[in-house]
Amino acid sequence: MEYTMPLIGERFPQMEVRTTRGIIKLPDDYSGKWFVLFSHPADFTPVCTTEFVAFQKRYEQFKSLNCELIGLSIDQVFAHLKWEEWIKEKLNVEIQFPIIADNTGSISARLGMRHKQAEGTQTVRAVFIVDPKGIIRAILYYPMELGRNIDEILRMIKALQIADKGYAIPANWPNNEIIGDNVIVPPADTVDMIKKRREQEKAGEIKCIDWWLCYTKVKS
């Protein structure tokens, strides 16, 4: 069966997967929570090992954002378990999130993780960020030779949660070159809204560079 790669704004495909923590039904078992699903070309590879450690080191930060982690690698669950064991013994890091077993590559194929650049059944380094309603909010792809920036994934979740409150997020937030750690208020699109923005600015509720570029500070 051929699958169309899921897109941002679509519901994450329903599937039942076998993991190191048992059977998980996606996205239903994470209803009410954000989750990040990230794929790996294979077990026992250097870059993947560094990524697993980096994700685990930040696991509590993800959980503080009501977000769970799910790994995926093209191998059997037995290999995943041995890999976890090796990471704990050699690097003193205990992996606490589930890893999906995808030894046939069918799950990664369904999610569009197997690109032409990847050899055989190996996957590129894909990341799916999914919200509490099971909707895909962001997709990232890294080549096999480049490890992911886990702090950027954390930043994206924080930013998306703020965006859900009705704001837009500037470049390099929270260190934007123009407005710092502030976020953008939706631009005025009517004469009355322009008047409202100016009133809000006068009242100190927001700051504006112009009526179409106003900003404010919100708690992340």
Side-chain angles (χ1 to χ4, degrees), residues 5-216:
M5 188 183 78
L7 302 174
I8 292 173
E10 294 181 350
R11 184 170 171 81
F12 190 90
Q14 287 194 312
M15 58 180 71
E16 188 172 277
V17 296
R18 187 182 183 194
T19 80
T20 51
R21 306 281 167 164
I23 300 297
I24 293 176
K25 293 180 180 180
L26 296 174
D28 296 348
D29 283 352
Y30 291 93
S31 178
K33 289 188 175 184
W34 292 74
F35 71 84
V36 173
L37 190 152
F38 52 97
S39 67
H40 296 268
D43 290 1
F44 293 98
T45 53
V47 176
C48 296
T49 302
T50 64
E51 289 183 319
F52 261 62
V53 170
F55 271 115
Q56 180 58 50
K57 291 282 188 180
R58 293 160 179 78
Y59 189 29
E60 291 302 321
Q61 294 180 58
F62 280 101
K63 289 201 293 184
S64 72
L65 295 170
N66 190 35
C67 180
E68 291 294 333
L69 298 175
I70 314 169
L72 179 149
S73 184
I74 305 295
D75 220 322
Q76 298 183 39
V77 71
F78 308 106
H80 293 352
L81 293 169
K82 183 61 181 177
W83 192 18
E84 284 191 21
E85 185 180 83
W86 186 94
I87 292 173
K88 184 176 181 179
E89 290 178 354
K90 302 296 184 180
L91 304 175
N92 197 32
V93 174
E94 183 176 357
I95 303 301
Q96 297 175 317
F97 50 81
I99 309 171
I100 296 171
D102 188 27
N103 52 299
T104 65
S106 60
I107 299 169
S108 54
R110 185 174 181 184
L111 293 173
M113 295 175 174
R114 288 163 56 182
H115 291 194
K116 290 182 178 180
Q117 182 225 20
E119 299 177 359
T121 59
Q122 290 185 328
T123 72
V124 292
R125 301 181 191 282
V127 180
F128 287 85
I129 298 177
V130 183
D131 71 17
K133 296 180 180 179
I135 304 301
I136 298 170
R137 300 295 297 276
I139 303 173
L140 303 174
Y141 286 117
Y142 288 68
M144 289 190 291
E145 64 272 19
L146 177 62
R148 282 162 278 217
N149 185 326
I150 315 304
D151 290 328
E152 168 62 5
I153 298 171
L154 267 170
R155 185 190 81 94
M156 291 178 70
I157 295 167
K158 293 176 183 177
L160 286 167
Q161 291 180 356
I162 290 175
D164 282 348
K165 299 176 181 178
Y167 301 100
I169 313 302
N172 295 326
W173 178 87
N175 300 302
N176 178 259
E177 290 77 3
I178 301 173
I179 62 175
D181 63 351
N182 292 281
V183 295
I184 297 169
V185 177
D189 56 3
T190 65
V191 172
D192 288 341
M193 186 60 72
I194 292 174
K195 181 179 179 181
K196 181 179 179 181
R197 289 285 180 264
R198 286 172 174 160
E199 290 173 350
Q200 288 176 304
E201 182 181 21
K202 187 175 181 180
E205 298 173 6
I206 62 174
K207 295 181 180 180
C208 296
I209 298 174
D210 205 333
W211 58 260
W212 55 270
L213 207 175
C214 297
Y215 57 94
T216 188

